[in-house]
Amino acid sequence: MIKQNDISSLAHRFSVAPMMDWTDRHCRVFHRLMSRRARLYTEMLTTGAVIHGDRARLLGFDPSEHPVALQLGGSDPHDLATAATIGEDFGYDEINLNVGCPSDRVKDGRFGACLMAEPALVAEGVAAMKRVVKIPVTVKCRIGIDDQDPEIALDVLARGVVAAGADVLIVHARKAWLNGLSPKENRDIPPLDYDRVYRLKAAMPAVPVIINGGIADIAEAKQHLAHVDGVMLGRAAYQDPWRLLAVDSELFGESAPHATMKDVFAAMMPYIEAQLAKGTRLHAVTRHFVGAFHAVPGARAFRRHLAENGVRSGAGADVLRDAIALVGERVPASIAA
């Protein structure tokens, strides 16, 4: 078992990436039931939404989600500081600044990956947040954008934000091409350069560096941990959530909170029933379950039953129970992979 004499050294050893339209509060509760140790992140929220929007709806989360981080999108240091304070007051364990999202909407708002071109502004934003919150402030970035040289761009950004007080750097090991590629294409087409992230860690050994991008499973995560301090999984964790059942045992030497996906769903039922009682539609929760039984007999029937019945007005927890009953007991052979 990994010792916990310095828990901060393990805080970011494994995390699930912030993903727009995916890692909402229901998704995060689901993921927490598979790993006590994974660090969870919200979808990116703009500073404007946090400051002026419906905070209870946007920022509320279940206590079981801890440790959970709030990811912010923005570039104005004053607004970032205000939003970070609000996030800390809501009980988040970390404030993360998005310097990696390549969408046009983000670029037009002067936040996300386009800020790779303005490292001094990013550092100013980090410093502003550090002055007003006690929780960690972290930065998630790309290795560069467009025609930038990643050897220079990443180093300049990293050193600037660390000097400003950033506690952790999370690096998506691809460039973002803001001119010429769509957000979807930016997730796959720019080549991965894990070695560039390894070199960053070697150059800044005292700084926790987390690697993200294209990591398919826990076995790959373990390989990266020979070079960096932590690994962040995105689509692999969301599309095949059963992989998270191996996180605590494989990466922390501890038992998982539940042994099988059926156990996870049994534990999820009280949460679902409580949400339904508040008026939440069943599909808002079950849409995150599509990949839960990948490669298990009955998985297709499970997905079909939820797709056909979970979206109906008034659908209750019995819809999910009936869908689970269609699934066999076998655990995917690659669950620890």
Side-chain angles (χ1 to χ4, degrees), residues 158-287:
R159 293 189 183 281
V161 299
V162 169
D167 296 284
V168 176
L169 298 174
I170 305 167
V171 186
H172 185 153
R174 304 180 198 268
K175 269 191 173 185
W177 286 92
L178 304 182
N179 297 305
L181 293 181
S182 70
K184 182 178 185 300
E185 290 170 332
N186 262 301
R187 291 194 292 268
D188 295 299
I189 292 178
L192 287 158
D193 189 354
Y194 295 133
D195 286 340
R196 177 65 189 95
V197 186
Y198 298 165
R199 290 194 295 276
L200 177 68
K201 175 59 187 177
M204 306 179 73
V207 178
V209 173
I210 314 306
I211 199 165
N212 169 237
I215 302 167
D217 52 44
I218 306 306
E220 278 191 34
K222 293 171 78 171
Q223 294 172 8
H224 287 296
L225 287 170
H227 305 278
V228 293
D229 302 286
V231 175
M232 176 179 275
L233 256 66
R235 283 171 288 170
Y238 186 87
Q239 294 170 347
D240 295 318
W242 49 269
R243 294 187 187 279
L244 297 178
L245 287 172
V247 167
D248 291 4
S249 60
E250 293 293 314
L251 302 184
F252 295 93
E254 300 173 1
S255 60
H258 300 286
T260 69
M261 288 306 302
K262 288 196 173 185
D263 294 335
V264 169
F265 281 120
M268 188 82 184
M269 283 299 178
Y271 174 85
I272 292 173
E273 289 170 342
Q275 287 296 313
L276 293 174
K278 294 178 182 179
T280 303
R281 294 189 63 186
L282 180 68
H283 177 67
V285 184
T286 59
R287 70 188 185 93

Side-chain angles (χ1 to χ4, degrees), residues 14-19 23 27 31 38-41 231-234 237-238 244:
F14 181 86
S15 52
V16 178
M19 292 174 279
T23 51
C27 175
H31 286 173
R39 197 169 190 87
L40 305 178
Y41 285 75
V231 175
M232 176 179 275
L233 256 66
Y238 186 87
L244 297 178

Side-chain angles (χ1 to χ4, degrees), residues 20-83:
M20 292 297 291
D21 299 322
W22 286 4
T23 51
D24 64 15
R25 67 180 71 185
H26 308 309
C27 175
R28 298 191 305 265
V29 168
F30 178 47
H31 286 173
R32 176 60 66 220
L33 290 172
M34 288 172 272
S35 169
R36 297 184 184 92
R37 290 301 213 124
R39 197 169 190 87
L40 305 178
Y41 285 75
T42 68
E43 305 167 86
M44 183 188 69
L45 293 174
T46 66
T47 53
V50 171
I51 295 169
H52 304 294
D54 181 345
R55 294 177 188 173
R57 179 179 64 84
L58 292 170
L59 295 171
F61 64 91
D62 190 86
S64 68
E65 295 177 39
H66 289 295
V68 58
L70 169 64
Q71 187 183 65
L72 294 177
S75 59
D76 180 86
H78 177 268
D79 288 351
L80 284 169
T82 301

